[in-house]
Amino acid sequence: MKLFRIGVGLLLACATFGVWSGFAGGLHPIGDTLSLFRIVLGSACLIGCLLSIGWAWRSVLLATGTAALITTIPMLWPGPGTGDLTIYSKNLWYRNGQLDAVAADMRQSRAEVIALQEVSSQNERLMAALSDTYPHQHLCRYGVAILSKHPITDRICSEGRSIAAAQIDRGGERVWVGSVHLPWPFPFANARGADAAQEVIEDLDGPVVLAGDFNIFPWANSVRQLQRSAGAIPAQPIRPTFSLKGAPLFLDHVHAPGGGTVTYRGLLGSDHLGVLARVRLQPH
């Protein structure tokens, strides 16, 4: 029994360390990697409060679990029911063989703007197929693109694949839309990709909407730094959009000045769900 208690204590100590380290992504990218486990580790800490332990240790676990869940769980709740702009974001998967189904779904969604990631030589014909509905298009190398029903008045590509940004003229109202595709988290280059995207976003004037495959969860520091630069908050509810060997991952999301409401579309030949969001262009 004593060894069991020691083992449980070590596991709870590791969970506590993992939660607080996950808030340190600004100090080192490994913090963002640890933030991926925040809900699980925070829940473990709260369960640990039920054990027969001292009040001091119980207080630490309670504070840790509470911090973990209040910075994550609210994003799972639905967002406001109204919005100003409808955007559809999709990581196509470079070898997608169901492009006709993707095109039909995008038309059916009636989105004003589409943000694409992983546009490749194999699936680039989707852009041509949608040119009748979305005649204004901006494609950056490494496969990030914006398609719009409205004229594009300015366009930017970041270094690498991080972001394709396009300024959309909606009848005199100009909005920047960024299609984001960041690398995987540490030990990969997610943080460097976010830095490259941030350099672009900081120079944009007016409302900014970010959509895409961030390859990390919306509470990670790399995403939050882009939110701060864009003056944006997540559209909700956040849901898993990618399965990694059965593990559900919150990789694809949309951020706008006033947030918004999200629904999710099918895989349609991709390994990522599509994200359809109606977002608010002004803060609450």
Side-chain angles (χ1 to χ4, degrees), residues 177-256:
V177 177
S179 177
V180 178
H181 192 193
L182 302 183
W184 283 91
F186 182 85
F188 300 98
N190 184 273
R192 289 201 301 272
D195 289 342
Q198 184 178 19
E199 289 181 8
V200 171
I201 295 167
E202 287 179 340
D203 291 333
L204 306 181
D205 295 324
V208 177
V209 177
L210 303 177
D213 174 10
F214 292 77
N215 268 318
I216 202 164
F217 297 178
W219 49 81
N221 178 75
S222 61
V223 179
R224 291 179 63 82
Q225 78 179 62
L226 299 185
Q227 290 177 344
R228 289 191 293 267
S229 296
I233 60 176
Q236 297 173 202
I238 299 297
R239 293 288 185 267
T241 57
F242 181 84
S243 176
L244 180 63
K245 297 182 178 179
L249 304 181
F250 305 85
L251 302 187
D252 303 82
H253 19 98
V254 177
H255 307 264

Side-chain angles (χ1 to χ4, degrees), residues 2 112 274:
K2 183 177 180 180
E112 295 176 60

Side-chain angles (χ1 to χ4, degrees), residues 48-122:
C49 292
L50 304 176
L51 301 177
S52 299
I53 54 179
W55 67 266
W57 186 218
R58 185 175 291 143
S59 298
V60 170
L61 293 173
L62 179 61
T64 302
T66 301
L69 298 190
I70 66 173
T71 56
T72 55
I73 296 300
M75 295 186 194
L76 307 180
W77 298 339
T82 60
D84 307 306
L85 174 117
T86 304
I87 181 168
Y88 188 132
S89 180
K90 180 73 170 179
N91 180 320
L92 289 175
W93 190 57
Y94 74 103
R95 294 177 60 188
N96 194 312
Q98 299 183 31
L99 298 182
D100 291 342
V102 176
D105 192 57
M106 289 178 172
R107 288 194 180 93
Q108 190 274 332
S109 75
R110 298 184 180 180
E112 295 176 60
V113 183
I114 293 175
L116 297 177
Q117 304 86 47
E118 236 175 277
V119 181
S120 66
S121 58
Q122 292 97 320

